Amino acid sequence: MKKYMTSALLALTCVSGVVAQTVYEGADIASKDLNGTARFVGMGGAMGALGGDISTIGTNPAGIGVYRSNDAMISFGYSATDTESNYMGGKFDAGRNRWSLDNVGVVFSTKIGNRTALRYVNFGFNYHRSKSFNRNMMVAGDLGGYSQTFQMAAMSDGITKQMWDSGNPFDHNNIGWLSALGYEGYLTAPSVASDNTLNYEHYQSLLGEDDFPYMKYRSRETGGIGQYDFNIAFNFNDYVYLGATLGAYDLSYNKYTLYDETFMDKTGSSTGTGYSLESYNKLTGSGFDFKLGVIVRPFEYSPLRIGAAFHTPTFYKLTWATSAKMISEVYVDGALKKFDIDSYNYLNNADMKYEYQLTTPWTYNLSLGYTVGNFLALGAEYEYKDYSSMRFYDSNGDKLSWESKESKLCMKGVNTFRFGVEYKVVPQFALRAGYNHSTAIFKENAIKALPVNSLATDTDFTNSQTLNNFTLGVGYRGSAFYADLAYKYTAQKAKFYPFVFPGEVDGQAVDVTPEATHLTNVRSQVLLTLGVRF
């Protein structure tokens, strides 16, 4: 048997009640894509101080105050997402293409007069797809002697025989689903004490000394977040603009993973044993936030504009539905046996559902805008979000201490810089370009730590690094009708790990993972916006 020090880290993770999703799903929900109108995207989203575009309703609400006429628009998009994985020299590519309705908005501009300080009161509504979860991934390779069963064993420490015999292990508050799968599939067992009795305080993997796991992993994620913004904005003397936006969010996220371990011998041939684990997760819910913004022209005859905005956390109410299925083929008492464990059957043909609440970080935004005549516009923005402040609560509003603590341990503040330029070749035609840079959300040593009673069976996690967006655009403006086209290229590298388990090196407790899989995530998106001003 392969033995690892497994109790040192995870023995402290037991909490009462069922545990919700991890900080990795929370970070996915809290982050947003660069999306909106083609003009906004073409300028890299750096329009917070320039205003005059419906998409600024979600960055700096005061931008709607710049409007002096009514506006209605719609945007369509086509995106191609590709993930290249490189695990110890083995490369795989997985892609996904889709069409989308990315933006629908309208602005109603009301002129108050020229003699009062308040010149315009404007109202806006905008829908846009603020987040896309659509991506696929594949990884395969030798695990270097490590196995996901080590994590299963570590999460089982302390589960007594009485607990196993008390009924359905998938509906027991103190038994995690990974533990149940490992035990029921004969992949883990209590260790054997010196007197040949079973020690339920410490479990071990049943992987043999001469078994070498070979991993195959595949994931498919779909869904997105729809953002609905309602805005009111004011224009004071064409020098000060104020705006407020109430945002509503609709979330739908699906994740399917297939994790397979084939046990190989020293020659690299299959021993005929191993297991496959399928995890099904669905997350749905809604949320709301509030945004406040201001744009100021500090000098009377200068085209310089300074903008500032803050967004409250988004307050989500979410429902997580999950199920898992595992098929294992292992030797038991000298005979090769097959075990088929399906949580769906254990729960009377139903998913396990859990309701919880998520509070995303505050957002702080500063922006600059500058125009040269009627032919050149320059924009720059800085945005800050502290992801370590993200918090989780149960359905009653009580804080989930484990997940909230993990936010502080694993995540950090993120700095985002946006730059954009628009140049009008002639009054009717404009060229645009933009660039975005966002720092990493997760700390370098972040892991997906699961409490021992967690329902989660997708043990994989990805630590994404810096994010870069490069954009180009072109636009036409007629007397009423306008059309804009934009191209966005997104690139981000990341490190993927299929699982983590507690081990010991030189007497020190450490988190052990297989060699990192290096990911390169790229996304190309084309956006077309059609609109009319009236």
Side-chain angles (χ1 to χ4, degrees):
M1 302 293 181
K2 292 189 177 182
K3 298 183 180 180
Y4 286 84
M5 183 66 180
T6 58
S7 61
L9 297 185
L10 291 184
L12 300 177
T13 66
C14 186
V15 294
S16 61
V18 178
V19 177
Q21 287 279 271
T22 69
V23 294
Y24 282 86
E25 288 79 17
D28 242 359
I29 295 170
S31 59
K32 295 182 179 181
D33 297 333
L34 172 61
N35 205 7
T37 68
R39 183 184 180 216
F40 180 83
V41 172
M43 291 189 68
M47 298 189 67
L50 293 170
D53 188 280
I54 188 68
S55 291
T56 61
I57 200 171
T59 55
N60 186 347
I64 304 303
V66 176
Y67 275 91
R68 296 189 178 187
S69 61
N70 302 324
D71 195 2
M73 74 292 293
I74 187 170
S75 300
F76 305 93
Y78 177 79
S79 62
T81 304
D82 180 77
T83 298
E84 179 188 271
S85 62
N86 185 338
Y87 179 64
M88 301 180 68
K91 293 184 178 181
F92 293 89
D93 277 297
R96 185 177 180 87
N97 303 337
R98 68 183 301 275
W99 291 91
S100 58
L101 174 64
D102 287 272
N103 172 243
V104 178
V106 61
V107 173
F108 296 104
S109 181
T110 304
K111 186 173 183 179
I112 303 301
N114 294 323
R115 297 183 179 181
T116 62
L118 181 60
R119 300 291 176 83
Y120 286 86
V121 177
N122 298 334
F123 301 89
F125 166 77
N126 188 50
Y127 160 80
H128 84 281
R129 191 176 180 86
S130 64
K131 183 72 176 184
S132 173
F133 298 118
N134 295 292
R135 52 187 175 245
N136 297 337
M137 194 179 75
M138 295 176 59
V139 179
D142 189 317
L143 286 170
Y146 296 144
S147 171
Q148 188 190 53
T149 60
F150 299 163
Q151 184 173 5
M152 294 178 181
M155 295 179 65
S156 301
D157 290 346
I159 301 178
T160 64
K161 186 177 187 303
Q162 291 75 20
M163 292 167 64
W164 288 122
D165 294 340
S166 64
N168 181 358
F170 291 91
D171 196 20
H172 193 294
N173 279 346
N174 294 315
I175 298 178
W177 279 20
L178 274 178
S179 302
L181 291 168
Y183 187 81
E184 296 291 330
Y186 283 80
L187 298 173
T188 63
S191 60
V192 180
S194 58
D195 60 357
N196 288 326
T197 60
L198 294 179
N199 177 15
Y200 287 88
E201 292 300 315
H202 179 69
Y203 283 66
Q204 60 189 21
S205 167
L206 294 181
L207 188 70
E209 288 284 357
D210 295 325
D211 290 336
F212 299 90
Y214 183 91
M215 167 193 66
K216 293 180 182 178
Y217 172 88
R218 179 163 60 91
S219 67
R220 181 178 66 250
E221 297 171 84
T222 60
I225 299 176
Q227 181 174 334
Y228 305 82
D229 285 327
F230 303 85
N231 173 273
I232 183 170
F234 307 91
N235 175 344
F236 295 94
N237 289 323
D238 295 325
Y239 286 103
V240 178
Y241 307 87
L242 298 176
T245 295
L246 174 64
Y249 298 81
D250 178 35
L251 182 148
S252 177
Y253 170 64
N254 294 277
K255 179 184 179 184
Y256 165 80
T257 62
L258 172 61
Y259 179 86
D260 180 276
E261 278 190 21
T262 301
F263 301 152
M264 318 293 284
D265 60 23
K266 292 181 179 179
T267 67
S269 300
S270 173
T271 63
T273 59
Y275 69 96
S276 63
L277 169 59
E278 294 179 277
S279 298
Y280 303 85
N281 294 281
K282 183 175 183 179
L283 194 60
T284 56
S286 59
F288 70 92
D289 69 0
F290 186 73
K291 310 173 187 72
L292 252 160
V294 60
I295 299 173
V296 177
R297 291 175 58 192
F299 309 109
E300 183 175 359
Y301 297 106
S302 172
L304 176 67
R305 294 176 182 174
I306 301 174
F310 72 86
H311 309 171
T312 69
T314 304
F315 301 94
Y316 279 106
K317 288 188 176 182
L318 302 169
T319 299
W320 177 42
T322 187
S323 63
K325 180 178 181 179
M326 189 179 77
I327 297 176
S328 63
E329 293 186 85
V330 293
Y331 283 97
V332 178
D333 298 328
L336 183 62
K337 293 187 178 181
K338 182 177 180 179
F339 301 92
D340 189 338
I341 305 101
D342 191 338
S343 69
Y344 198 77
N345 295 333
Y346 274 85
L347 299 174
N348 297 319
N349 299 324
D351 293 334
M352 177 68 80
K353 292 186 177 181
Y354 182 79
E355 295 181 353
Y356 70 102
Q357 301 176 32
L358 170 66
T359 300
T360 69
W362 287 79
T363 301
Y364 305 95
N365 181 288
L366 294 174
S367 55
L368 294 174
Y370 192 84
T371 57
V372 179
N374 293 320
F375 63 90
L376 182 66
L378 303 170
E381 283 189 21
Y382 168 73
E383 190 171 276
Y384 180 77
K385 296 175 74 170
D386 183 5
Y387 283 81
S388 69
S389 66
M390 193 165 59
R391 295 293 178 263
F392 296 78
Y393 304 87
D394 65 18
S395 58
N396 296 318
D398 296 325
K399 189 175 181 179
L400 295 171
S401 58
W402 170 266
E403 290 82 356
S404 299
K405 180 190 69 175
E406 286 297 299
S407 296
K408 290 184 178 181
L409 290 174
C410 296
M411 295 188 286
K412 57 185 179 180
V414 171
N415 302 290
T416 298
F417 302 89
R418 304 185 184 108
F419 304 96
V421 58
E422 178 182 67
Y423 175 72
K424 291 185 178 180
V425 182
V426 296
Q428 292 81 19
F429 290 94
L431 301 176
R432 305 179 184 109
Y435 171 68
N436 285 186
H437 175 85
S438 295
T439 58
I441 294 176
F442 288 94
K443 297 177 182 178
E444 182 67 24
N445 60 346
I447 62 167
K448 185 177 181 178
L450 298 176
V452 295
N453 62 341
S454 175
L455 300 179
T457 55
D458 54 330
T459 58
D460 60 281
F461 61 98
T462 301
N463 290 338
S464 299
Q465 299 169 6
T466 56
L467 173 71
N468 292 285
N469 286 306
F470 304 88
T471 66
L472 294 171
V474 61
Y476 165 78
R477 287 288 185 277
S479 58
F481 172 78
Y482 63 90
D484 297 302
L485 187 67
Y487 171 75
K488 180 184 72 172
Y489 178 80
T490 304
Q492 186 175 38
K493 292 186 180 298
K495 293 182 179 180
F496 168 85
Y497 303 92
F499 55 82
V500 61
F501 65 94
E504 185 178 282
V505 175
D506 298 328
Q508 298 294 319
V510 296
D511 298 313
V512 181
T513 64
E515 187 76 19
T517 299
H518 295 274
L519 304 181
T520 301
N521 297 303
V522 297
R523 182 186 183 197
S524 294
Q525 184 179 20
V526 177
L527 284 164
L528 173 65
T529 298
L530 304 175
V532 59
R533 295 205 171 189
F534 56 98

